[in-house]
Amino acid sequence: MSETLLSILCDEDFWYWDSNNANTISLKKNGKGELVCRHELNIWIAAELEWKLQSPESVDQVVDISSSGDTHKDPHLISQFDIELTLAKRCIPRMRRLETQSWRINESLLTDDAFMPKTYTVRLEKGNFLTPYDAMRPDEDQYTPRFALRLAFNESPYPPRHEWKDPGGAPDAMRMWEWKDFCGRKSPGLKAHGVRH
């Protein structure tokens, strides 16, 4: 099946760091998206973002992911590209409810530097992936979904420690600035093969 890089990046509702849909990034064709970082009842980041590829012609790159190799073997590179992400202070629309207006998220927790444009090198890989969070819990492997695609950032899209106003407590404990990989394209058929990446 042939797809453009743009459709692969944008047709996923979310790219997941964990299968609980708590920590995600999404990219939409209009150059907008979302970055969310939360755990249980705590939310630190629920920010809109703007994105663009550094080489605009790369969005039209056609990739045949069905013939890019066997997803049951080691992961392999489909594409590598540079992307610029800019977090916005605006809360994502699905969390703009009355009860969330008093929450301390986004700019109340992050310095102004967190909202400056940043460029990342991203590898789009095909394989048989658990989310990074699920890969840390091998005892629950049989219950966790598998994904056929992975975005591997050279640096985490979450703001680094020095861009948090007060990183003590949960941010230091969770170290989300080290989270670089996000999975997409949930593929139940991969689970049976038991390959972990």
Side-chain angles (χ1 to χ4, degrees):
M1 174 170 70
S2 294
E3 299 178 65
T4 64
L5 178 58
L6 181 65
S7 67
I8 293 171
L9 292 176
C10 300
D11 287 351
E12 297 296 311
D13 289 335
F14 300 102
W15 292 88
Y16 303 92
W17 183 81
D18 63 280
S19 62
N20 299 322
N21 193 21
N23 301 284
T24 60
I25 188 169
S26 67
L27 305 170
K28 302 303 173 200
K29 289 181 179 175
N30 65 0
K32 307 287 186 192
E34 299 178 355
L35 185 68
V36 176
C37 181
R38 62 189 180 102
H39 183 68
E40 295 176 352
L41 299 178
N42 299 299
I43 301 174
W44 297 278
I45 300 171
E48 291 184 2
L49 62 81
E50 295 182 2
W51 71 275
K52 63 181 177 181
L53 295 178
Q54 294 298 295
S55 299
E57 64 278 2
S58 61
V59 297
D60 297 323
Q61 173 189 353
V62 176
V63 179
D64 185 356
I65 62 169
S66 63
S67 65
S68 294
D70 185 353
T71 57
H72 309 303
K73 296 188 178 173
D74 290 335
H76 62 276
L77 181 68
I78 294 174
S79 181
Q80 182 170 308
F81 52 90
D82 292 332
I83 188 171
E84 180 181 284
L85 299 179
T86 306
L87 284 185
K89 295 179 180 180
R90 292 181 306 277
C91 183
I92 60 176
R94 60 192 162 102
M95 292 191 184
R96 286 188 199 149
R97 299 181 304 266
L98 184 60
E99 66 270 16
T100 63
Q101 292 178 3
S102 63
W103 292 358
R104 293 189 64 234
I105 60 173
N106 300 346
E107 74 274 13
S108 64
L109 299 175
L110 302 170
T111 68
D112 287 342
D113 287 345
F115 302 96
M116 299 300 293
K118 295 181 178 69
T119 301
Y120 304 89
T121 298
V122 181
R123 293 171 50 93
L124 174 62
E125 300 170 331
K126 182 179 179 185
N128 182 347
F129 304 107
L130 289 168
T131 66
Y133 177 79
D134 293 330
M136 293 186 290
R137 303 166 50 203
D139 53 319
E140 297 180 25
D141 183 5
Q142 62 183 333
Y143 305 107
T144 57
R146 298 287 179 152
F147 297 85
L149 300 174
R150 176 169 64 191
L151 291 180
F153 287 76
N154 66 321
E155 294 180 33
S156 175
Y158 293 111
R161 186 181 192 278
H162 67 272
E163 293 180 356
W164 290 74
K165 291 179 180 175
D166 182 11
D172 270 343
M174 296 179 64
R175 305 177 67 83
M176 58 280 289
W177 46 81
E178 295 178 356
W179 300 351
K180 300 178 184 180
D181 297 340
F182 295 81
C183 296
R185 197 145 310 172
K186 195 179 287 189
S187 300
L190 296 177
K191 193 175 225 177
H193 297 279
V195 179
R196 299 178 59 88
H197 295 292

